[in-house]
Amino acid sequence: MSDFESVAATELHTATPGPAGNPNAPGQPHTLEVSKPRSASADAWRELRRRPLFWIALLITAVVALMAAWPSLFTSADPTSCSLSNRMGLPSGAAIFGYDVQGCDVFARSVYGTKNSLLVGLGAALVAGLLGMLFGVTGGYFGRWWDVLVSRVIDIVLGLPLLLAAIVFMKRVANSGGGQTARLVALIAVLGLLGWTTAARVIRSSVITAKQQDYVHAAKMLGAGSGRIMWRHILPNALAPFIVIITMALGSFIAAEATLSFLGVGLLPPSQSWGIDISNARLYMRENFIPLAVPSTFLALTVLAFIILGDTIREAFDPKLR
């Protein structure tokens, strides 16, 4: 064995000394085991797996989603089966958190109230996400007068207080005599139409940065159209911060729905909503605080879980925050 082969065998554990021309001989780099480069999403996932807060938030959101989809898995009680004989009843085997002022099972109403709150939050996040993506991508890519117009529209929408505008709009829906389904759709629409601006600004900034990259210029030289470049090349590389913002906004939309229902301009009885239950229980908190504490805890944990989930994802995708 030559000196060169001895050094190569020592330094490169994957190289096997052999005669010249042997594919395993030193000096044949194509046979060496080369680690594959990881993508940004792979690096982010590797970072997320080490964060206990991420798993706690993910567990809470999974339980909330399961509770909204199949509430019967968590309680067998009927939230609409109320009896004044149970008014303000204390916790017992039949009702682990007791009864509210109408004699309804507090836990059952909180469990079934998850569906409407999560439905409004997801629907508003979807509307806001689509609008933010549309205006953010096109404004950042085309620039010039269209970007100026999009920026001014964002400034106008940001100038409208979300809750105040939502109250005015929902009052109008109430005066038109809309039913519960109409109020649910109106809540989703108004929160989505007023809450897309942050997502649009974030993805616009990402698109402006991404369109300067070499792969975009290469796609242009190969004859790719603007639509293909925007949606096939730029958007996937600018999507990470957008997902973070939408995840955090989902928690804000759930809190906004509860606030509007608490004020009596959102969902109304007989619909189940955490805001409705909190509003009904606040007047009797000195007599029994549990009917107020349970839906408030459900709401706080859900909103906090989505915010923490978005925050941990943001830190995982941003190397400066690790």
Side-chain angles (χ1 to χ4, degrees), residues 8 14 91 105 111 129 161-162 170 175 198 203 207 219 221 229 249 270 277 302 314:
T14 58
D105 190 310
V111 169
L162 188 145
M170 293 305 299
N175 294 335
T198 302
I203 199 167
V207 169
M221 288 191 300
I229 292 174
D277 292 343
T302 302
R314 177 178 63 88

Side-chain angles (χ1 to χ4, degrees), residues 40-277:
S41 58
D43 284 336
W45 171 240
R46 185 184 181 189
E47 185 70 20
L48 283 173
R49 287 183 300 178
R50 303 175 180 177
R51 295 177 178 268
L53 274 179
F54 168 74
W55 291 109
I56 294 173
L58 188 63
L59 177 62
I60 294 175
T61 54
V63 171
V64 169
L66 191 63
M67 195 177 293
W70 294 285
S72 58
L73 293 177
F74 297 86
T75 178
S76 59
D78 185 356
T80 61
S81 178
C82 307
S83 175
L84 289 177
S85 60
N86 295 324
R87 182 183 181 277
M88 288 298 182
L90 297 177
S92 63
I96 59 174
F97 290 116
Y99 299 90
D100 62 10
V101 67
Q102 299 293 333
C104 306
D105 190 310
V106 172
F107 181 67
R109 286 193 61 84
S110 297
V111 169
Y112 278 84
T114 306
K115 179 180 179 180
N116 285 329
S117 297
L118 194 60
L119 188 61
V120 171
L122 288 173
L126 180 61
V127 173
L130 291 175
L131 290 175
M133 184 181 298
L134 176 63
F135 288 105
V137 172
T138 57
Y141 181 79
F142 291 112
R144 299 185 180 179
W145 66 269
W146 176 247
D147 188 32
V148 174
L149 179 61
V150 169
S151 299
R152 296 297 76 79
V153 171
I154 291 175
D155 292 339
I156 292 172
V157 176
L158 283 174
L160 300 174
L162 188 145
L163 286 179
L164 181 58
I167 290 172
V168 173
F169 186 82
M170 293 305 299
K171 282 286 188 181
R172 178 63 179 172
V173 173
N175 294 335
S176 64
Q180 293 299 326
T181 302
R183 298 183 74 88
L184 185 67
V185 173
L187 266 176
I188 293 173
V190 69
L191 292 177
L193 291 173
L194 295 174
W196 60 271
T197 51
T198 302
R201 280 187 162 184
V202 168
I203 199 167
R204 172 183 172 273
S205 300
S206 300
V207 169
I208 290 175
T209 302
K211 75 176 183 179
Q212 306 298 330
Q213 302 299 318
D214 291 338
Y215 63 85
V216 175
H217 297 303
K220 288 181 179 179
M221 288 191 300
L222 291 173
S226 297
R228 182 179 179 83
I229 292 174
M230 281 190 296
W231 307 113
R232 294 292 299 274
H233 297 283
I234 293 180
L235 183 60
N237 292 281
L239 208 55
F242 174 78
I243 294 175
V244 171
I245 291 297
I246 290 299
T247 303
M248 299 178 73
L250 201 157
S252 301
F253 290 142
I254 292 175
E257 179 276 324
T259 302
L260 293 172
S261 298
F262 176 85
L263 296 174
V265 294
L267 298 177
L268 298 176
S271 296
Q272 284 88 40
S273 170
W274 294 330
I276 295 175
D277 292 343

